[in-house]
Amino acid sequence: MATLMGKKIIVVGGSSGIGLGVAEAAVRRGAKVIVVGRSPERLEAAKASLGPRANVETISADMTAEAEIARLFEEVGPFDHLVSTAGSPPPGSPIGETDIAEVRAFVDNKLLGAVLLAKYASRTLNPGGSMTFTSGINKDRPPVPGGAVVSAIAGSFSYFARALALELATMRVNVVSPGWVDTPMFEQLAGDMKPDLFKAMAARLPSGKIATAADIAPAYIHAMESAFTTGQTLNIDGGQSII
Ligand SMILES: NC(=O)c1ccc[n+]([C@@H]2O[C@H](COP(=O)([O-])OP(=O)(O)OC[C@H]3O[C@@H](n4cnc5c(N)ncnc54)[C@H](OP(=O)(O)O)[C@@H]3O)[C@@H](O)[C@H]2O)c1
């Protein structure tokens, strides 16, 4: 099991929610963390929340823009681990009412963004390094109706990681699949319904509670530290996928 002490870790999506939780956990283990997102304000707030002594740098980049991703990896240089939690709220219309422009924007951000990250990360990732992407419980328990697109895209990450783990070996590639997590994105999706939704789900979950970002971060830490974990999807969902 490799330590993260002194390792250079890029966390795309680290300015909020699950990614911020991963950045916090990595900083606590002595890593140098580069937090990436689009909004400079969110990046500044994340840096402040990670503390004044934290070994943290921020870089603003949009993972849908190839030139920005090329610049990001050029600026960072050789590095040890890439984590991406970046994503946008999924489309949720029943299939007969699909807005294709909305679906394209989602696929562009979530899936093609990951492809671009992998393209440039593969060129400068240090030996023994890893990439970890994020899917989610919607692949196993899609909302009905309206969950077909998000389920397909989330599920595709497992196959992306399996193929990439073979292509890029001995670099490692994995996916973390969280259940419901209390983050700004969930807030945005559920609005006023969040407390009731969380209460009802917590009562059904074997874990008995809804996850915080800190509950999910250990799966990403494991994916980075475990030299023997590659091509895997790590479900960390409080048992949501088995109920
Ligand atoms: N929360 C849940 O219950 C849950 C459950 C399962 C799976 N997930 C998945 O986990 C991931 C993280 O979710 P979260 O709840 O942590 O969301 P969040 O709090 O909204 O954080 C999303 C992060 O991604 C960044 N981002 C979005 N688009 C980007 C882009 N094009 N380029 C660079 N950065 C970008 C955002 O910063 P900027 O907006 O400033 O760019 C932000 O830092 C998402 O993909 C989500 O689908 C979430």
Side-chain angles (χ1 to χ4, degrees), residues 4-242:
L4 296 186
M5 180 66 73
K7 298 291 184 192
K8 204 172 180 185
I9 300 174
I10 302 173
V11 184
V12 184
S15 61
S16 176
I18 298 170
L20 183 55
V22 175
E24 265 165 15
V27 163
R28 244 182 287 117
R29 280 163 177 76
K32 174 176 169 42
V33 177
I34 296 124
V35 177
V36 180
R38 291 166 300 185
S39 154
E41 294 76 27
R42 276 180 123 179
L43 287 169
E44 268 320 296
K47 189 170 182 176
S49 88
L50 290 167
R53 287 188 304 277
N55 201 3
V56 177
E57 199 187 310
T58 61
I59 297 181
S60 171
D62 181 343
M63 67 171 178
T64 65
E66 182 156 8
E68 293 189 25
I69 295 309
R71 177 195 32 93
L72 164 70
F73 285 97
E74 200 181 308
E75 207 173 317
V76 171
F79 70 101
D80 298 294
H81 300 284
L82 167 72
V83 168
S84 177
T85 64
S88 41
S93 307
I95 199 72
E97 289 156 37
T98 300
D99 175 342
I100 284 295
E102 189 190 1
V103 170
R104 278 196 216 284
F106 177 67
V107 173
D108 199 26
N109 200 24
K110 182 81 186 164
L111 183 58
L112 299 189
V115 173
L116 268 182
L117 290 175
K119 173 178 175 179
Y120 287 93
S122 67
R123 299 175 179 183
T124 47
L125 189 57
N126 284 331
S130 73
M131 301 182 199
T132 308
F133 298 97
T134 303
S135 65
I137 187 66
N138 283 333
K139 75 183 185 331
D140 311 295
R141 295 284 177 270
V144 179
V149 169
V150 65
S151 178
I153 300 306
S156 71
F157 275 89
S158 298
Y159 294 93
F160 181 60
R162 285 164 61 102
L164 217 50
L166 293 174
E167 180 176 329
L168 297 179
T170 56
M171 294 172 194
R172 296 178 299 101
V173 185
N174 294 292
V175 175
V176 170
S177 180
W180 286 9
V181 190
D182 192 357
T183 67
M185 186 185 289
F186 208 103
E187 198 97 35
Q188 203 181 330
L189 285 167
D192 293 347
M193 286 158 60
K194 190 184 97 168
D196 288 344
L197 284 171
F198 274 5
K199 196 172 166 205
M201 181 56 83
R204 293 177 58 215
L205 285 178
S207 62
K209 62 167 273 202
I210 299 294
T212 62
D215 293 321
I216 302 301
Y220 292 87
I221 299 296
H222 176 75
M224 287 187 274
E225 288 184 339
S226 169
F228 229 59
T229 299
T230 193
Q232 302 304 306
T233 297
L234 310 175
N235 293 308
I236 179 157
D237 57 22
Q240 196 170 347
S241 53
I242 54 167

